[in-house]
Amino acid sequence: MNSQRVGRPIQILLVEDNPGDARLTLEALKDGKIQNRLYIVNSGMEAIAFLRRKGKYADAPNPDFILLDLNMPLMNGSQLLAEVKQDSALKHIPVAILTGSQAAEDIARAYNLHADCYVTKPIDLEEFIMAVKSIVDSLLNQREIADGGRVIG
Amino acid sequence: MDKRIANPEVMAGQIKKSEELFRILFYSSPIGTYIVQDGDFQLVNHRLARILGYEEDELIGRRSLGFVHPEDRNTVKGSAERMLKGDHSLGYEYRIVTKQAKVKWVMETVAPIFYQGRRATLGNLTDVTEHKRMEERLRQITAEMQRSNNELEQFAYVISHDLQEPLRMVSSYTQLLAKRYSNKLDADADEFIAYAVDGAKRMQVLLHDLLEYSRVGTRGKPFTWVDCKEVVEQTIANLKIAIEESGASVTYDTLPAVMGDEGQLVQLFQNLIGNAIKFHREEPPCVHISAQRKQNVVAFSAKDNGIGIDPQYRQVIFEIFRRLHTREEYPGTGMGLSICKKIVERHGGHIWVQSQLGQGSTFHFTIQVAEGKSA
């Protein structure tokens, strides 16, 4: 329903180093009938290049939100999150953490770094599809409220 | 003047007697005794000489501190001075070096005396080398056990945690296969997919329970004062669906408060009451919780009218992943009672069962109540 509200497919940047998980998120979006355009990068460095339109990402769009895995080599999810939220050009982009970690420390750290949402990847497929759907719904609702109810595109 | 004392013969007799008594007490004492004046041995008994490995006369006139292990000399001086000034402690321990260059641990007390009209020190000394050795051994074994226990817990935690990720892949994709392709391939394919999905789901439950088990030790909360009535009420609320579906009745007596980890106590009662409901006979399950305080221990019991347990299995049911039934008869991983045991042991207690096949079971467990607190 939200894809209709913004009037065009939602642009999502997925930062995920495991191709299996990336594909699963893609399938979950498809299954949840969410009109989307999913951009997948496999590291924090790539994500920063994408967001700042560096190098091969010169023509990259501004994503509506970022879906972020925490556990990645080199620049991990927390570091990327901190980087995004410190950058005045990027900090308005909602960031949802979608991770395997249920550790209280990880959840607390993510919210301290101003993550907009934290979801532990459910093991059950149906629950995973539901989780992805609810992240999309909740982030788009947040944006609507922030924009005084005006739908932005 | 008293004539009895004035009489030199009587006096000589008395002196002889007291000398004899002194000789017996001093020379055959099982405690090493000495008198030191100006830092030198003036008098030593046989036992002291034996401890130091010398003959008695070899010691007379020698510096007493010379026999103390060089590293302990300063502390011995300090401890002896404090005791001579009236510190009535039980004594102090230090090392000595014998004539044969052997190091021994001794325990000593000293007292200030007058000897031949001048200040001196009376010392009593016991060889505690063997005690010390055993103490040290015990300390080592305890530390070693603690370490290996921690390692095992950490291992179980890491295994159950890190295996979740790849398992999630197996599980999600088999489910995706089932969702997209069941009824599109042949009957064999559907059956294979169904077994793969079922296996992955079972492994998830196993890992989940193993993680729960390892968390009892690694992620436990500090103990607080917990009202067991509230714990049981919380448990009943958590089991609401199971209780309603089975028509079970769960009753409880007045329950005391104990020092414990509230979350873990709820988990404990939930596993026990949950089992009582799960393993029921034809008639609706009845579970009754009672508690009795005996000195510093509260003994709880959970009595049910369920299928009971063959007494030969009353130990093994507490082992991890132990099950007495097939999954078709009763679902579950066999972790519930192991988790109960671990929780009870973390609370300084024991858990056991009294049961006969077909005649219900009573699970008993104890919880240590902190010293000086009333339950």
Side-chain angles (χ1 to χ4, degrees):
Chain A
M1 57 164 193
N2 281 296
S3 48
Q4 270 70 49
R5 277 204 309 229
V6 287
R8 58 154 175 78
I10 305 157
Q11 319 241 38
I12 303 169
L13 175 63
L14 173 65
V15 191
E16 171 65 77
D17 66 325
N18 177 5
D21 265 312
R23 177 68 195 262
L24 203 60
T25 306
L26 187 79
E27 295 299 329
L29 288 165
K30 200 197 280 179
D31 241 86
K33 310 233 176 341
I34 299 162
Q35 288 288 315
N36 72 88
R37 181 86 177 80
L38 187 69
Y39 302 89
I40 302 170
V41 294
N42 62 10
S43 75
M45 305 299 241
E46 290 283 301
I48 287 293
F50 183 99
L51 292 166
R52 291 183 182 150
R53 299 198 179 96
K54 295 271 161 66
K56 63 175 172 176
Y57 297 110
D59 299 324
N62 248 329
D64 290 307
F65 65 85
I66 302 168
L67 267 180
L68 179 58
D69 183 27
L70 282 186
N71 187 18
M72 292 182 296
L74 298 175
M75 181 188 257
N76 68 29
S78 297
Q79 288 166 314
L80 174 63
L81 176 61
E83 185 84 17
V84 168
K85 292 300 178 186
Q86 276 162 22
D87 186 327
S88 57
L90 302 176
K91 67 178 179 194
H92 67 281
I93 305 172
V95 179
I97 308 293
L98 184 61
T99 177
S101 171
Q102 297 178 19
E105 311 90 83
D106 284 341
I107 297 172
R109 191 187 308 123
Y111 280 119
N112 280 336
L113 292 171
H114 308 291
D116 296 85
C117 165
Y118 188 106
V119 176
T120 298
K121 289 170 186 166
I123 287 182
D124 186 81
L125 179 72
E126 290 304 324
E127 287 175 28
F128 187 82
I129 294 169
M130 291 296 293
V132 170
K133 252 182 112 163
S134 67
I135 290 172
V136 174
D137 283 353
S138 102
L139 290 185
L140 290 181
N141 277 333
Q142 279 179 28
R143 285 194 62 174
E144 267 188 32
I145 293 161
D147 289 315
R150 195 166 45 84
V151 174
I152 54 154
Chain B
M1 209 190 230
D2 193 323
K3 280 184 182 163
R4 279 173 302 176
I5 292 172
N7 185 331
E9 267 175 47
V10 175
M11 252 177 88
Q14 275 177 350
I15 288 167
K16 205 178 160 208
K17 241 190 201 165
S18 98
E19 200 154 90
E20 196 185 341
L21 191 62
F22 162 76
R23 212 171 283 281
I24 292 168
L25 287 180
F26 188 73
Y27 288 103
S28 28
S29 166
I31 292 169
T33 303
Y34 64 83
I35 291 172
V36 162
Q37 203 163 43
D38 305 325
D40 299 334
F41 281 125
Q42 298 297 322
L43 195 68
V44 299
N45 72 353
H46 184 65
R47 181 70 197 136
L48 183 85
R50 286 269 65 78
I51 292 171
L52 294 176
Y54 290 84
E55 296 301 321
E56 284 101 307
D57 50 12
E58 288 182 286
L59 291 170
I60 304 303
R62 302 265 304 262
R63 307 295 288 172
S64 65
L65 213 54
F67 300 92
V68 176
H69 190 287
E71 286 170 19
D72 291 354
R73 278 178 199 165
N74 282 333
T75 56
V76 167
K77 265 193 232 168
S79 304
E81 272 164 26
R82 271 195 301 283
M83 200 168 226
L84 290 171
K85 281 178 186 150
D87 166 19
H88 294 288
S89 58
L90 287 170
Y92 45 87
E93 290 176 342
Y94 62 90
R95 288 166 295 174
I96 54 149
V97 183
T98 69
K99 187 176 183 180
Q100 297 74 27
K102 239 179 91 183
V103 174
K104 286 181 180 174
W105 276 96
V106 295
M107 158 100 161
E108 183 178 67
T109 60
V110 288
I113 54 162
F114 271 92
Y115 181 67
Q116 294 175 340
R118 288 197 304 117
R119 284 183 179 282
T121 301
L122 173 70
N124 284 303
L125 190 145
T126 321
D127 185 346
V128 293
T129 310
E130 192 58 18
H131 289 150
K132 260 316 221 218
R133 207 183 56 77
M134 281 165 66
E135 217 172 73
E136 178 61 19
R137 183 90 192 100
L138 202 65
R139 208 188 51 74
Q140 274 174 5
I141 291 170
T142 312
E144 179 61 25
M145 270 176 63
Q146 188 69 47
R147 199 191 54 75
S148 99
N149 242 343
N150 290 348
E151 214 165 70
L152 211 63
E153 265 176 1
Q154 206 52 42
F155 179 72
Y157 182 78
V158 168
I159 288 284
S160 45
H161 186 264
D162 289 11
L163 289 187
Q164 304 259 11
E165 280 291 319
L167 177 61
R168 205 165 45 73
M169 288 291 103
V170 174
S171 163
S172 300
Y173 281 101
T174 48
Q175 285 179 67
L176 200 57
L177 268 180
K179 197 176 152 119
R180 298 261 174 94
Y181 297 100
S182 59
N183 299 323
K184 286 182 186 155
L185 306 169
D186 62 11
D188 273 353
D190 286 353
E191 194 182 343
F192 299 165
I193 291 172
Y195 279 126
V197 169
D198 179 58
K201 279 189 173 163
R202 265 193 289 128
M203 190 157 160
Q204 278 163 23
V205 180
L206 286 172
L207 283 182
H208 172 268
D209 287 3
L210 188 61
L211 192 60
E212 285 291 299
Y213 179 78
S214 72
R215 277 189 168 145
V216 174
T218 55
R219 301 292 186 275
K221 302 264 183 312
F223 288 1
T224 55
W225 215 217
V226 182
D227 184 351
C228 289
K229 179 171 174 275
E230 282 171 22
V231 167
V232 170
E233 281 168 358
Q234 177 65 52
T235 303
I236 291 171
N238 293 351
L239 291 169
K240 192 165 176 280
I241 294 168
I243 291 172
E244 280 170 4
E245 280 178 354
S246 61
S249 84
V250 181
T251 53
Y252 50 93
D253 293 343
T254 309
L255 299 174
V258 296
M259 278 300 280
D261 178 331
E262 185 166 6
Q264 291 189 349
L265 292 176
V266 170
Q267 202 181 0
L268 170 63
F269 277 103
Q270 195 162 319
N271 286 353
L272 291 177
I273 297 173
N275 274 351
I277 293 170
K278 179 165 139 188
F279 297 99
H280 66 83
R281 284 184 297 183
E282 292 280 299
E283 70 256 40
C286 290
V287 198
H288 184 72
I289 312 291
S290 52
Q292 221 182 344
R293 169 128 193 218
K294 291 168 190 159
Q295 279 132 18
N296 283 330
V297 171
V298 182
F300 290 90
S301 66
K303 184 177 165 58
D304 68 48
N305 62 341
I307 59 171
I309 298 157
D310 187 330
Q312 65 169 313
Y313 299 123
R314 61 173 192 264
Q315 305 278 346
V316 301
I317 54 170
F318 294 103
E319 291 172 11
I320 67 170
F321 293 139
R322 264 317 185 110
R323 299 164 43 80
L324 301 181
H325 307 276
T326 62
R327 278 193 310 280
E328 285 72 32
E329 290 172 301
Y330 296 98
T333 57
M335 277 309 270
L337 288 174
S338 322
I339 292 173
C340 289
K341 182 165 186 270
K342 206 144 182 248
I343 292 173
V344 169
E345 284 170 357
R346 188 174 169 238
H347 287 75
H350 302 284
I351 185 166
W352 69 99
V353 66
Q354 275 180 321
S355 185
Q356 290 293 332
L357 209 50
Q359 293 173 29
S361 311
T362 306
F363 281 85
H364 299 273
F365 64 90
T366 56
I367 285 190
Q368 202 89 38
V369 180
E371 203 86 32
K373 303 257 185 171
S374 61

